[in-house]
Amino acid sequence: MWGARRTFAHSLDSRRSSRRGLGGVLRFRDGDDVNVANSWSDALIDVAHKVYAHVFFWGTGISLLRVAAPSANSEASTSGLRRYRYDVLRVLSAIAVLVFHFDVEGAAYFPARDFDGMTVNLFGSPALNAGSLAVGIFWLLSGALSAGTFRDESFSTIRYYKKRLHRLFVPFYLSWFLVCCLNMLRGQIFSGIPIGRILLTVVGFDGYITRLIPHPPATFYLVGEWFFGALVLITLFHPILRRIYRTFGGKAIALLVVVDMLAYFLGIASWSSPLNCLALYSLGILFSLLREQGNAWRGGVFIVGLLLSVAAASPLCISFNNFGLAFPSLMSLSVGIFLMVDFMPFQFSSRVTKLSRALDQLKAPLTSLSGLTMYVFMFQHVLVKCVLPALPPSTFSDRSDYLFTVSIITALTFLVAFLAQGLEYSLRENLFNRHARRRPA
């Protein structure tokens, strides 16, 4: 694929100058040792690749949102039925995190690359990236999906912990075991680490400790990134948040967000800090409860989300980002995207064309992909590190090669997640059947 593709006979300096776009070409002077015709051709090729990438990804996102949107005759927006737009956000967030790690890790393997990838330097700001944005949307999603427990009068803390932690740790332990076996086959084993630190892995905090502590101790960390430890922490705090909300209402969540912003500006909190994760999670709960109050709020909240997203991408916010103040833009953009998707004020008519009916058929596979995202989060960074050494240097020089490679790695990651989930279901079924056979009649 990479070797057979036709390449253009331009120098590396010409490629790098064309990355500035057509404006960079217009700044060439007669004394520059650059072929103007080649520069224009290279710039047009660069623009064409960018247009293709935007059309592909935005077109995919809009099509998925069409799948997720309720029809005029349905009741999909009610609280009791599945919200497919959440599946869209979950799948796109998982892919964004995967591609972000591919772009970041690619910088170490290809330091002379011609472009940085799609997920870094969002809106021209080095402080913004799609990985952090996707994590913020993920916390909002988690809160929105957990909002039902805030209305449940029969809520039991023990039952909630048992169900939630079981759903989290079974994929985590299975993923860790599979990656550990893979490393042993490759001759990579843990050595010199105190065995007592395995407790950090048992409770799921090994990756989170590595993220939060400036000089973290050596642990048995393999999978889960920092977000899994934060997810466990949020799960533990959920009953407390529920009690606070039922006692003080939504103003308690608003106060938590304000404290989070102040802590960031004081240098106490960061995007991955427990306080910020709790604030975004709580906002997701609040937005879900607000949506269920009826359609009166829908249009106005959608406009708020649109304004937040536009403000986050404005030159003023971008200038703040260049001074290291990316937190407000990340918060505004993640909240804005979530509000626009969740409070979309229009519905699609059910009396549509064959294309719309074909898109409706994607709801089942979309649900399946959404169910794989936990394993995708577990395996994506490991697979990126395994694949990168085998890639040719042209991966980050030719955008077509880059998009092709990203597509292959994404498909591979979802395939591994699918196989791991199948293994989990098989183990659950065998253990359940064995337990049922042992149970006395």
Side-chain angles (χ1 to χ4, degrees):
M1 172 66 190
W2 294 281
R5 194 184 305 277
R6 180 170 65 92
T7 58
F8 296 91
H10 302 302
S11 65
L12 181 61
D13 292 337
S14 176
R15 282 180 178 272
R16 288 178 176 172
S17 63
S18 67
R19 280 189 295 158
R20 294 190 296 268
L22 297 177
V25 178
L26 294 175
R27 287 193 292 270
F28 290 155
R29 297 186 298 273
D30 294 337
D32 293 329
D33 187 21
V34 178
N35 186 296
V36 177
N38 287 345
S39 301
W40 272 98
S41 174
D42 205 16
L44 290 174
I45 292 169
D46 186 63
V47 171
H49 278 127
K50 290 180 179 179
V51 171
Y52 167 78
H54 281 286
V55 169
F56 176 78
F57 285 100
W58 283 104
T60 302
I62 293 172
S63 298
L64 289 174
L65 287 177
R66 163 62 188 92
V67 174
S71 63
N73 297 327
S74 70
E75 296 296 335
S77 60
T78 58
S79 60
L81 299 180
R82 187 179 189 93
R83 293 186 61 77
Y84 291 99
R85 59 188 69 188
Y86 287 174
D87 293 328
V88 172
L89 286 178
R90 191 194 297 270
V91 172
L92 294 181
S93 296
I95 294 176
V97 171
L98 187 156
V99 179
F100 170 71
H101 285 140
F102 177 73
D103 291 341
V104 172
E105 296 291 343
Y109 287 93
F110 307 105
R113 58 188 184 172
D114 289 347
F115 66 100
D116 298 324
M118 298 183 299
T119 60
V120 296
N121 299 331
L122 292 182
F123 308 113
S125 173
L128 289 180
N129 63 79
S132 298
L133 174 62
V135 170
I137 294 175
F138 177 81
W139 294 132
L140 291 165
L141 276 174
S142 299
L145 292 171
S146 301
T149 61
F150 278 43
R151 303 180 305 272
D152 188 4
E153 298 294 338
S154 61
F155 176 81
S156 169
T157 301
I158 300 299
R159 187 170 63 249
Y160 172 80
Y161 281 156
K162 182 179 179 180
K163 179 181 179 180
R164 184 61 178 160
L165 295 178
H166 185 265
R167 293 183 61 183
L168 290 178
F169 277 98
V170 171
F172 174 70
Y173 290 150
L174 181 57
S175 302
W176 189 94
F177 175 77
L178 293 176
V179 174
C180 185
C181 292
L182 175 63
N183 288 348
M184 292 177 65
L185 292 175
R186 300 167 60 190
Q188 301 175 1
I189 58 176
F190 295 108
S191 61
I193 303 177
I195 191 61
R197 293 180 185 171
I198 192 65
L199 291 176
L200 291 174
T201 301
V202 171
V203 297
F205 284 107
D206 49 2
Y208 206 22
I209 292 295
T210 304
R211 174 81 175 201
L212 292 180
I213 299 180
H215 303 286
T219 63
F220 294 89
Y221 161 69
L222 287 177
V223 297
E225 309 293 337
W226 64 268
F227 91 94
F228 185 79
L231 189 57
V232 173
L233 192 65
I234 285 177
T235 300
L236 297 177
F237 272 95
H238 179 85
I240 300 176
L241 289 175
R242 179 180 181 274
R243 177 65 63 87
I244 292 175
Y245 176 82
R246 292 177 68 88
T247 303
F248 301 101
K251 54 182 176 292
I253 294 179
L255 179 61
L256 178 61
V257 175
V258 172
V259 171
D260 178 38
M261 298 289 286
L262 291 176
Y264 170 79
F265 286 112
L266 293 176
I268 302 174
S270 64
W271 189 249
S272 57
S273 65
L275 181 60
N276 181 63
C277 297
L278 282 171
L280 288 169
Y281 180 81
S282 302
L283 277 177
I285 295 174
L286 185 62
F287 294 151
S288 180
L289 296 175
L290 177 64
R291 173 179 48 79
E292 293 178 2
Q293 292 181 6
N295 293 328
W297 298 88
R298 188 174 296 274
V301 177
F302 177 85
I303 296 298
V304 171
L306 178 62
L307 293 177
L308 287 174
S309 301
V310 172
S314 65
L316 179 61
C317 285
I318 297 302
S319 63
F320 288 151
N321 297 336
N322 295 332
F323 290 99
L325 301 177
F327 187 93
S329 290
L330 282 174
M331 178 72 78
S332 299
L333 194 56
S334 57
V335 171
I337 292 175
F338 180 83
L339 291 180
M340 284 193 298
V341 173
D342 199 21
F343 289 84
M344 191 184 303
F346 55 88
Q347 295 178 332
F348 293 91
S349 174
S350 59
R351 297 173 295 177
V352 287
T353 62
K354 293 181 179 180
L355 176 61
S356 182
R357 290 194 294 270
L359 290 174
D360 285 337
Q361 300 301 317
L362 295 177
K363 287 186 176 181
L366 177 63
T367 302
S368 300
L369 290 177
S370 177
L372 296 174
T373 51
M374 177 58 75
Y375 279 108
V376 170
F377 278 118
M378 294 295 173
F379 288 113
Q380 43 86 25
H381 208 164
V382 176
L383 291 175
V384 164
K385 289 185 175 181
C386 290
V387 170
L388 272 173
L391 297 179
S394 63
T395 302
F396 280 90
S397 297
D398 186 275
R399 293 183 184 273
S400 300
D401 286 346
Y402 170 84
L403 291 174
F404 175 77
T405 306
V406 166
S407 303
I408 293 298
I409 294 179
T410 301
L412 176 63
T413 305
F414 274 92
L415 175 60
V416 172
F418 173 76
L419 295 175
Q421 188 184 70
L423 178 59
E424 177 196 340
Y425 290 166
S426 178
L427 292 174
R428 286 176 182 271
E429 182 179 358
N430 291 333
L431 292 176
F432 177 79
N433 291 338
R434 183 179 303 176
H435 178 71
R437 286 194 299 268
R438 290 182 179 179
R439 184 179 301 175

